[in-house]
Amino acid sequence: MTTVHHRDAGQLRVDTNECKGCGLCIEACPPKVIRLEESLNPYGYRTATYMGAGCTGCGICFLVCPEPGAITVLRARRPGPAAASGPQVRP
Amino acid sequence: MSSEPEVSWEIARSKPASFYSTYERKDELQHATHYCPGCGHGIIHKMLAQAIDDLGIQDRTVLISPVGCSVFAYYYFDVGNVQAAHGRAPAVATAVKRSRPGSVVIAYQGDGDLSAIGSAEILHAANRGEALTVIFVNNAIYSMTGGQMAPTTLMGQTSTTSPQGRGAHEGYPLHVSELLATLEAPVYIERVGLGDNKQIAQAARAVRRALDNQVRGLGFSLVEILSPCPTIWKMTPVEAQHWVRDVMEGTFPLGVLRDRTQSAQSDAVPAPPPLLSAVPRILGIAKTGLPAEPSAVGAAPDLNLQVRMAGFGGQGVLLIGEVLAEAGLDAGLEVSWLPSYGPEMRSGTSNCHVRLARELIDSPLVAHPDVLVAMNEPSVRKFCAMVRAGGWILYNGETLPEDCDWKDVHVLARPFTRIAKDLGDARAANMVMLGALLEIAGNLPRTSIESALGRLVRNPRWLALDEAALASGRKLMREACAEANHAS
């Protein structure tokens, strides 16, 4: 279970059944918060994993990832005056 | 997932809805594509699926898969899918788009598929300005088959078929986008790359734009995408990505090569097809006296006539088959006429299958004819054994060759060519034989035969000769039958 820094604007999830460990997301990530797992998944790949802190939610890892659903990027929705139904508040 | 109480999370980027949730290609690995780690196809599939999602066109999109690694695109995209023969995606896409103008048709092709075996199809689809979106994935090599040289292979690049590196003797890299940009019709051509984050973001914009052009009915759009192939290039995925930017881009410069989207006219609603009743006027055959209400006058109720006509090319066997079929059509019968001939215009062998029936015809092939019209010796040798028992062989000669294998059939062997020569021209022999055939088979009305002959033989001199030849053939057959009855 990853811990999320309370100031992070984003985080990412990796589907370990889909990731083939090509490493393009690691190369692409601007804040460099992705690394490869030490262990192998059932298909023999060292999959990508979020280091747990520092994600800005920019989505570039998703853009460069060759697998349709290996990466899901989440963005924080901070509570605010219009948080319930209004536009997303950027930190 | 853990988060602090005051933070909630929303999904910003996830698998596009235009992909299937699971892929049924194999029992295992239903969540992973068949592409190698770091393959450009996956990245391009994702930007294409995202663009389909964003434009809201999933229900009317038809993706044409090529031959190559992306042949299995139909296992991933939840849209209409057609898989085309090698290189033919633009032709198939043309057919889909023209028959279903409201659809959004994407031809997805690799460089081996598009720029080698399919170079004619892409050139002419672009030249016709077909309102298609073409995604051209260029990785400078044949990857699926193990790394042979492609038209797009860079100078000096090694492959299994250019192990010393591509040299001038192997030709130069084909710049497809530049070639197509010399044509008048395309509205949008851009070359993008997958060499770094910035290039990939631009590629996603270009793909979306090429698709949007089609939604707006603007015309032919093509995006060429320089794409990494780590496996065949023998590089890591990251090295391959950099090679696209640092090396490939030197040969294939990125940029917009054609953009006429501002001035292009939208033809999202094509002209409706002509009414069926207007077709004779369009074809210029309105005056030829086609009967308004065809009726099977005079034909036997159980008529099912099967004829095979054969001879040398130039003897007119196809023409008499056509006259017979047209006459049947005129009389309101179901007909078929199937020619079969070699490439020679003269002196090759030629034959045709003709069927006339009251009921629908299941197949135009005639394997066991009721009547064989054989205009030369090779033909009678070839086909005489096929004639059904009780049928007829009409042979252009004094007697059938002795070694002909036939039994239980009637034979009319006459020197038809000489008979026609006596009438005025040896070339009318086919019509004499047709006259003989008409006397015994089909019971077609005279008016139908005259009308068919009039449509197919335009020259008045020949028409007069052919009519005389038909009459002569009929007479010949009547006399032969009378003789046979007299003898028995």
Side-chain angles (χ1 to χ4, degrees):
Chain A
M1 190 62 74
T2 57
T3 52
V4 179
H5 197 273
H6 74 282
R7 282 179 307 219
D8 286 346
Q11 63 162 308
L12 65 104
R13 290 189 207 143
V14 176
D15 181 344
T16 53
N17 280 322
E18 204 170 324
C19 175
K20 292 172 183 162
C22 71
L24 289 179
C25 57
I26 297 170
E27 173 77 7
C29 177
K32 301 290 175 206
V33 294
I34 312 173
R35 62 174 172 82
L36 289 184
E37 283 281 12
E38 292 304 318
S39 55
L40 304 178
N41 77 351
Y43 307 112
Y45 292 120
R46 290 180 62 193
T47 58
T49 187
Y50 179 41
M51 289 179 188
C55 176
T56 62
C58 67
I60 288 174
C61 55
F62 176 84
L63 187 70
V64 303
C65 173
E67 295 304 313
I71 291 179
T72 302
V73 178
L74 302 159
R75 276 183 199 150
R77 199 206 305 259
R78 303 268 176 195
S85 59
Q88 183 191 343
V89 179
R90 289 180 184 278
Chain B
M1 174 182 34
S2 70
S3 65
E4 295 192 5
E6 73 274 21
V7 183
S8 64
W9 298 93
E10 61 179 3
I11 292 174
R13 292 276 183 272
S14 63
K15 182 173 170 176
S18 295
F19 284 118
Y20 289 112
S21 54
T22 54
Y23 316 131
E24 309 258 309
R25 192 173 74 88
K26 286 181 176 177
D27 290 337
E28 75 275 25
L29 285 172
Q30 293 208 340
H31 290 273
T33 63
H34 71 290
Y35 297 118
C36 305
C39 176
H41 278 305
I43 302 171
I44 297 162
H45 278 21
K46 245 164 95 176
M47 51 183 67
L48 190 56
Q50 191 66 52
I52 293 169
D53 278 12
D54 292 350
L55 294 167
I57 52 171
Q58 186 182 0
D59 287 346
R60 58 190 179 108
T61 294
V62 182
L63 182 75
I64 316 296
S65 310
V67 169
C69 290
S70 48
V71 63
F72 289 140
Y74 53 81
Y75 279 113
Y76 308 128
F77 284 93
D78 185 7
V79 298
N81 286 286
V82 181
Q83 199 277 313
H86 206 356
R88 271 57 180 178
V92 175
T94 299
V96 173
K97 184 70 183 181
R98 288 192 175 200
S99 51
R100 302 193 73 90
S103 57
V104 177
V105 186
I106 304 161
Y108 187 106
Q109 299 181 265
D111 53 318
D113 191 73
L114 182 142
S115 72
I117 194 168
S119 52
E121 278 71 21
I122 191 64
L123 183 68
H124 292 286
N127 194 37
R128 294 191 304 268
E130 300 292 346
L132 309 172
T133 301
V134 181
I135 306 296
F136 170 34
V137 181
N138 179 358
N139 60 13
I141 206 155
Y142 280 90
S143 291
M144 191 188 78
T145 49
Q148 292 80 9
M149 197 192 83
T152 44
T153 296
L154 310 187
M155 294 309 284
Q157 185 181 348
T158 55
S159 69
T160 59
T161 48
S162 59
Q164 312 280 333
R166 186 180 195 172
H169 286 301
E170 281 89 28
Y172 296 84
L174 204 61
H175 291 73
V176 174
S177 291
E178 281 83 349
L179 268 172
L180 297 182
T182 63
L183 301 173
E184 194 60 31
V187 296
Y188 176 62
I189 298 172
E190 179 167 357
R191 184 185 287 122
V192 293
L194 301 180
D196 56 32
N197 294 351
K198 207 175 150 189
Q199 287 190 359
I200 294 171
Q202 176 58 27
R205 280 192 289 272
V207 165
R208 191 195 148 114
R209 217 178 137 196
L211 214 49
D212 187 44
N213 287 344
Q214 187 178 165
V215 172
R216 290 159 60 203
L218 296 185
F220 184 89
S221 301
L222 179 141
V223 181
E224 175 177 348
I225 305 175
L226 306 183
S227 174
C229 178
T231 303
I232 296 298
W233 294 354
K234 298 181 177 65
M235 297 178 192
T236 68
V238 172
E239 284 166 0
Q241 190 184 55
H242 292 167
W243 198 79
V244 168
R245 182 190 59 198
D246 301 337
V247 180
M248 265 189 101
E249 202 192 323
T251 297
F252 297 110
L254 306 188
V256 177
L257 291 146
R258 165 66 58 86
D259 186 356
R260 290 185 182 164
T261 51
Q262 296 299 315
S263 58
Q265 295 293 312
S266 169
D267 59 349
V269 184
L275 293 172
L276 196 59
S277 57
V279 170
R281 186 179 47 76
I282 293 166
L283 295 178
I285 56 172
K287 286 182 290 184
T288 52
L290 287 169
E293 295 258 340
S295 56
V297 185
D302 57 346
L303 176 72
N304 182 10
L305 177 66
Q306 307 199 17
V307 182
R308 198 76 181 262
M309 294 152 160
F312 289 127
Q315 281 187 312
V317 295
L318 301 189
L319 175 65
I320 54 171
E322 233 181 321
V323 171
L324 182 61
E326 279 271 346
L329 203 59
D330 193 284
L333 296 167
E334 298 289 336
V335 305
S336 70
W337 172 77
L338 182 73
S340 166
Y341 49 86
E344 307 91 340
M345 289 301 284
R346 293 283 181 274
S347 80
T349 60
S350 162
N351 75 83
C352 68
H353 312 235
V354 181
R355 294 190 62 175
L356 275 70
R358 282 280 194 144
E359 304 293 325
L360 284 176
I361 291 168
D362 50 3
S363 161
L365 291 173
V366 175
H368 298 291
D370 301 308
V371 182
L372 168 67
V373 177
M375 293 198 66
N376 62 6
E377 196 180 313
S379 297
V380 79
R381 279 182 200 283
K382 189 172 176 186
F383 296 115
C384 69
M386 294 181 181
V387 179
R388 190 186 297 279
W392 278 86
I393 296 174
L394 310 186
Y395 176 55
N396 183 17
E398 300 280 356
T399 52
L400 282 187
E402 282 192 2
D403 54 343
C404 260
D405 176 23
W406 59 276
K407 57 181 181 207
D408 300 334
V409 296
H410 309 286
V411 176
L412 179 70
R414 295 284 188 278
F416 288 101
T417 303
R418 205 174 65 219
I419 294 165
K421 198 174 175 186
D422 293 343
L423 286 170
D425 198 313
R427 286 174 289 176
N430 60 342
M431 291 294 167
V432 183
M433 295 188 84
L434 178 65
L437 184 151
L438 289 169
E439 190 61 29
I440 51 168
N443 198 16
L444 291 167
R446 291 282 177 117
T447 51
S448 293
I449 296 158
E450 282 162 14
S451 153
L453 195 64
R455 278 200 296 280
L456 291 163
V457 180
R458 301 279 183 149
N459 182 318
R461 191 179 70 82
W462 270 106
L463 184 59
L465 182 64
D466 285 345
E467 280 172 345
L470 278 181
S472 159
R474 283 178 182 277
K475 184 158 164 274
L476 240 161
M477 180 55 92
R478 274 198 303 275
E479 285 167 4
C481 289
E483 261 175 48
N485 287 336
H486 189 71
S488 63

